[in-house]
Amino acid sequence: MDKDLEHRFITQLEKHQNIVHKVCRIYTSGQDEHNDLFQEITIQLWKAFPKFRGESKFSTWMYRVALNTAITLYRKSKKSVRGDHYEHVLNNLKYNEYNDEEEQQLKLMYDAIKQLSDVEKALIFLYLEDRSYKEISETLGITEVNARVKMNRIKSKLRTILNP
Amino acid sequence: MDEFELLKKDWKKREASLPKLSYQDIYKMILKKSSSNVKWIFIISMVELSIGLVFLFYTPAYMEQMNYLFVDVLSYLAYPVIIYFVFRFYTNYKKISATSSVKGLMDSILRARKTVKHYIIFNLSVIFITSVCTSVIMYVKKQGGWAVYKQHSELGDHLILMALAVLVTALMIGLCLGVYLLLYGFLLRRLNRNYRELKKMEV
């Protein structure tokens, strides 16, 4: 029974692991921290899995647990050193990948996202993931109207960072 | 194209460069232990709850000698209160779930914390009452008992008595509060900041 649960969980997570990696990319800087957060999200998902009833989609459920872990439950371990922004990875970006103006702008945007607060990162992440406002509001526990208002503010905040 | 649409497109494109973990990698991960905030909050809360219990069950020798009614009364009054707090903490803690909404999770953690906070305030009040009474009684005893004290006491004596009581109490409460703020300031700083931000959105 337990083995069966374990197998179902690992198979599902293996299939949807991109979601967790993307949350790690938004919230961490550096590969060590990425792995550390991935580890903690996996544990939290596994702990919550017996109660997953399949009423919502596995992926929707994962967004919640992963964001909750990144924003609230995760404690940065001391060994991971901060400040290696440029080596890392918001998207494994390297400067030389950006040769034209459009890509230069993308690089700036990813850097700007790094400067957002935890909650703002969650909103922009769910937006990038094409989640509906209904889902965003349910995931964060705010109303749909407030989610829209906040998203517009973040967008203009990002624009200001980009074009000071 | 809108810059955010461009970003969205790029974000999708970059999925290709994400790491890929195998079944075995994930299997190894679920065997490990969590190091989450909530685990630490739970451990510290348990320590706090038990310190209160020790404090109630253990009566220092000098207090026993004094054999004053207030110590007994206070202890008996405190039992149901402590049981109530432990029960409340347990039910609150059970409600903490990673599958709640982000705000819901923060709410439930803060609620569990609040119970412990009230418990601490309760304990500090008990400490306050006992230490005021104890220091007064000790001082009077040293002067040769109530009868003697009453006969010979002057304003100065009363002032010393009051100062002593206040000093002892302030020291004890200061110590407890210091440890308390240090512990939770550290653990809950980020949570409080994020919670405030979510709350602000609702206004």
Side-chain angles (χ1 to χ4, degrees):
Chain A
M1 169 68 177
D2 266 353
K3 278 279 159 210
D4 176 51
L5 194 74
E6 208 173 86
H7 176 70
R8 269 192 296 142
F9 173 74
I10 299 175
T11 318
Q12 288 270 39
L13 179 54
E14 195 187 2
K15 193 170 135 202
H16 295 282
Q17 61 176 290
N18 274 0
I19 295 174
V20 183
H21 283 301
K22 283 184 278 187
V23 169
C24 293
R25 275 191 172 175
I26 286 259
Y27 282 96
T28 66
S29 31
Q31 201 56 50
D32 281 351
E33 227 179 277
H34 180 116
N35 296 345
D36 213 36
L37 178 57
F38 193 101
Q39 162 81 60
E40 187 61 40
I41 293 174
T42 304
I43 295 174
Q44 294 298 336
L45 283 166
W46 171 231
K47 266 169 55 181
F49 189 62
K51 284 192 204 129
F52 173 66
R53 307 241 178 271
E55 287 146 3
S56 58
K57 267 167 63 189
F58 188 74
S59 56
T60 310
W61 178 80
M62 273 180 81
Y63 279 111
R64 271 183 181 219
V65 179
L67 283 173
N68 268 332
T69 310
I71 296 174
T72 305
L73 302 174
Y74 174 61
R75 281 188 70 231
K76 284 193 178 88
S77 70
K78 283 199 185 99
K79 56 177 193 259
S80 50
V81 190
R82 302 200 93 232
D84 48 355
H85 283 297
Y86 297 107
E87 295 288 317
H88 171 317
V89 245
L90 182 61
N91 283 286
N92 281 337
L93 307 170
K94 298 211 173 63
Y95 277 116
N96 55 16
E97 282 176 32
Y98 291 87
N99 19 34
D100 64 26
E101 205 184 318
E102 189 179 281
E103 293 195 322
Q104 197 60 43
Q105 195 188 10
L106 281 168
K107 158 85 180 113
L108 284 171
M109 285 191 93
Y110 285 124
D111 279 350
I113 290 172
K114 275 279 169 200
Q115 294 172 38
L116 296 175
S117 73
D118 291 336
V119 174
E120 289 169 335
K121 277 180 188 163
L123 272 144
I124 204 81
F125 167 72
L126 292 167
Y127 165 82
L128 289 175
E129 289 291 294
D130 252 339
R131 301 283 112 188
S132 67
Y133 275 102
K134 185 169 181 287
E135 196 181 321
I136 293 176
S137 75
E138 280 168 7
T139 306
L140 295 181
I142 56 179
T143 65
E144 224 173 298
V145 176
N146 287 334
R148 276 175 202 277
V149 171
K150 185 71 181 173
M151 188 71 82
N152 286 333
R153 280 199 201 133
I154 297 170
K155 281 186 180 173
S156 38
K157 190 173 170 181
L158 285 173
R159 280 194 193 100
T160 326
I161 300 177
L162 291 172
N163 313 300
Chain B
M1 192 194 290
D2 172 48
E3 61 224 286
F4 290 99
E5 286 306 316
L6 188 76
L7 185 69
K8 220 185 232 182
K9 230 178 84 193
D10 187 70
W11 178 256
K12 288 211 171 64
K13 209 172 76 195
R14 287 182 190 280
E15 277 199 16
S17 66
L18 287 168
K20 277 268 167 285
L21 295 180
S22 68
Y23 188 98
Q24 274 307 312
D25 292 332
I26 297 172
Y27 175 72
K28 276 183 216 145
M29 282 184 171
I30 64 174
L31 299 178
K32 293 206 175 137
K33 288 233 174 327
S34 156
S35 61
S36 81
N37 252 339
V38 169
K39 197 176 122 187
W40 285 105
I41 290 170
F42 178 76
I43 291 171
I44 297 172
S45 300
M46 285 327 280
V47 171
E48 285 169 341
L49 290 169
S50 31
I51 284 176
L53 288 176
V54 170
F55 176 73
L56 273 181
F57 280 113
Y58 172 74
T59 319
Y62 68 87
M63 273 196 174
E64 241 164 43
Q65 276 173 17
M66 297 191 307
N67 197 17
Y68 280 99
L69 190 64
F70 80 88
V71 180
D72 290 339
V73 172
L74 216 57
S75 314
Y76 286 123
L77 277 179
Y79 288 132
V81 182
I82 286 187
I83 291 168
Y84 165 77
F85 274 121
V86 172
F87 173 74
R88 274 296 299 275
F89 177 73
Y90 178 76
T91 48
N92 282 337
Y93 183 76
K94 276 277 172 209
K95 281 186 198 145
I96 296 177
S97 155
T99 50
S100 318
S101 69
V102 171
K103 188 163 163 286
L105 173 69
M106 292 182 188
D107 265 330
S108 54
I109 294 175
L110 290 175
R111 210 171 303 127
R113 274 305 314 149
K114 212 184 231 166
T115 309
V116 183
K117 200 156 109 190
H118 291 158
Y119 175 82
I120 296 279
I121 292 170
F122 166 74
N123 262 329
L124 286 180
S125 328
V126 174
I127 290 176
F128 174 76
I129 297 169
T130 10
S131 57
V132 166
C133 293
T134 316
S135 42
V136 168
I137 289 165
M138 293 285 271
Y139 182 77
V140 169
K141 222 177 168 187
K142 237 174 135 187
Q143 305 293 313
W146 267 116
V148 184
Y149 178 77
K150 259 167 101 178
Q151 239 172 26
H152 300 285
S153 62
E154 289 163 19
L155 182 68
D157 293 323
H158 292 308
L159 285 179
I160 292 176
L161 187 63
M162 266 167 63
L164 190 75
V166 169
L167 195 76
V168 171
T169 312
L171 248 148
M172 287 188 76
I173 291 184
L175 196 77
C176 296
L177 222 61
V179 174
Y180 183 74
L181 290 177
L182 211 70
L183 278 176
Y184 288 106
F186 184 64
L187 273 173
L188 293 175
R189 195 167 33 205
R190 187 160 161 242
L191 193 151
N192 277 325
R193 195 183 54 220
N194 289 330
Y195 189 72
R196 268 199 301 274
E197 194 182 338
L198 278 170
K199 272 283 202 204
K200 217 167 65 193
M201 280 184 207
E202 287 176 348
V203 183

